[in-house]
Amino acid sequence: MCKLLSEWSPSEPAIALIKLNGINDEQIAKSLTYLKNQQELSNIDDVEGYDNWNAFFIMFCVKAVKGT
């Protein structure tokens, strides 16, 4: 499991699940770029309630798109 965001990229199953929620490639790419540019996030241990980046990224994408 990758703990550092800078070394992480979403898995194929995570991308597939995100797409099942109606989120397209452009929205996924924007979400990934946004997250990777956050100064406060670096280690998954800093994110309360999540133990891996894939789970966090799935929820982040769903919430980001539903909030627009």
Side-chain angles (χ1 to χ4, degrees), residues 2-66:
C2 183
K3 289 195 174 260
L4 298 178
L5 181 58
S6 61
E7 297 172 359
W8 171 82
S9 59
S11 68
E12 288 300 315
I15 296 294
L17 186 57
I18 292 167
K19 288 182 177 183
L20 283 174
N21 281 281
I23 301 169
N24 65 39
D25 289 334
E26 182 181 349
Q27 293 164 320
I28 292 169
K30 285 180 182 179
S31 293
L32 184 59
T33 299
Y34 177 83
L35 278 181
K36 291 246 183 189
N37 287 307
Q38 294 306 299
Q39 301 285 330
E40 305 85 42
L41 292 176
S42 63
N43 190 308
I44 192 61
D45 292 336
D46 298 334
V47 183
E48 188 175 332
Y50 293 94
D51 63 351
N52 67 70
W53 287 115
N54 281 314
F56 177 74
F57 187 61
I58 291 165
M59 292 308 298
F60 180 85
C61 286
V62 170
K63 288 180 178 182
V65 171
K66 304 286 183 192

